[in-house]
Amino acid sequence: MDKFDILNKYFGYTSFREGQESLIGSILDGKDVLGIMPTGAGKSLCYQVPALLMPGITLVISPLISLMKDQVQALNQAGIHAAYINSSLSESQISKALQLAAAGQYKIIYVAPERLETYDFMNFVRQVEISMLTVDEAHCISQWGQDFRPSYLKIVQFINKLDKRPIITAFTATATENVKEDIVCVLGLKNPDILVTGFDRKNLYFAVETPKKKDTYVIDYIDKHSTDSGIIYCATRRNVDNLYEKLSKQDVAVTKYHAGLTSEERRLNQENFIYDRTPVMIATNAFGMGIDKSNVRYVIHYNMPQSLENYYQEAGRAGRDGERAECILLYSAQDVVINRFLLDNKEQNGEYTQDEINAIRERDEERLKAMTHYCMLTACFREYILNYFGEKGEPYCGNCLNCNREFEEVDVTEAALRIISCIVEAGQRYGINVIAGILAGSSRAKLREYGVLEYKSFGSLSEINEVEIKQIINIMLMNNLLWQTNDKYSLLKLTDKADEIMKSDTRVIYKRPKKNPETEKETASATAKRASSKMRRSDTLNSRGLELFEQLRDLRKTIAKEEGMPPYIIFSDKTLVDMCVRSPFDKSEMLKVTGVGENKYEKYGERFLNVILEYTGGVREKFYFGDMF
Ligand code: ADP
Ligand code: MG
């Protein structure tokens, strides 16, 4: 058997994805490797395939218990003998597993880092041949990264204790230059082949929306995607709880996750989500590391995150199966305020000096600015993300909101001047909410209390609404006409450029999505264009095909229940779509479906064939639009 046979027989795939083949080749040549590939790119396969071709055992270090279980289940499903050793097992279960392992039962063993140096484990490794040690989520070893795990340093000590050094391979989705160096250095990779693939995730659709009521938007979205699984990220625990309450009242099957829940609640809620018992998860950013659920069809950010680093990682949890998925950020000016507040109250490790703390704060401010800029963007979202991460993006991707709508340029110089006078009149003492409130002429209690109702500027922009005023203020921030103090008040101040604009005839231009004057909605053509290029399952399958898809999905759910397994581990959404497209009638046709390997065919193939045969009555039928092959 060679690597292609393994790919086909066990995983049911016909070809390698970008980067996989060369990494596997290096490993089989006996080299250390470091693979940096985005989420969903298929890093697991890069060590699982060679693991099956090497004489000894492969140890995989992975930070999260849930992740290990998931991977081991998936391997067992594919007919590969694998096990995991971590604190979710009792001591007697562990010693049993190690016994079987010593007897050569397993090719791949997942281990939690803190288990490595235990007596039993060391005892076990001395008895067997270890061909490879793989460090998954390798960025956890770097103190530069956000996810540093001290237990990862144990890996190094463990390697040093081995009689014979195995090949060492490391994988991660996020590695800046610093983190990359750390991984190579700390893990002691020897002359490794380092492979970095592009960070673009073509199947993800990116959008920023600014709905008046975020709750309504979310409820509406979930309603329209009621059969899909998705994650909604909120900035704070309180937001999570509130939204959870609201959605529960609407009878949406939701669950939640944040650091304020007990570990038992977290475990249970996470499991309910993974097993599709509650398809919607509302969570803070505490949720998601190591969640390999491949059929997450959307990730909505209820609040803007603190950085694009965070955003891309969280949004990237959508569409791991390569099928179409949506990443939508719901932006409001208030988000900037929340994030400043979070930065101000960020707990600093006692280890830092004041200078370092200042440097970190500055870095965080820069990141927040770039994130805010993303939310205001009128150009291609994907291009902006890729450029931010140091890759050259194309100005038109065709699969983001901005590439699919028309903009118009509005000259807002007049409004900008009034905003400037208002800030001056208020003595530069207020933040964006108060200033926008004054200009709109809102008579909120707060404003009355401040005594601003007497201002000359009060109501001087009452012809446009408050949201748009804030939007214009943001444009001015972006153009450096204004700046905000770096404290929790975020007071609006004028820059020198603001002076200039009052004296010269420079214009301030606001590019905004084109609206249809009659309906105040986006123009019909823009909406239609958007709908057509927004990639959806319903674009591939016709209505008969979608019906078949639902039936196959039901069967998958039944089997998942029987086996106590997450549905996506039985077959991914992508596999089910391909099953509809090919609508196989026999074993050989079924084996051509992506994700159907021999082992899975033996287990489930016939049951799925039966559904297809019954649905079609054995008559050939086309379940998709256009030409697929
Ligand atoms: P990562 O760890 O890089 O985030 P995974 O290893 O979890 O990604 O893989 C993501 C998904 O891609 C899985 O469902 C996996 O089965 C699928 N996959 C991996 N390699 C291939 C391939 N060559 N062809 C088709 N699907 C693949
Ligand atoms: Mg992974």
Side-chain angles (χ1 to χ4, degrees), residues 43-44 71 136-137 292 320:
K43 290 183 284 295
S44 318
Q71 298 254 355
D136 205 0
E137 313 289 347
D292 272 2
R320 271 171 178 266

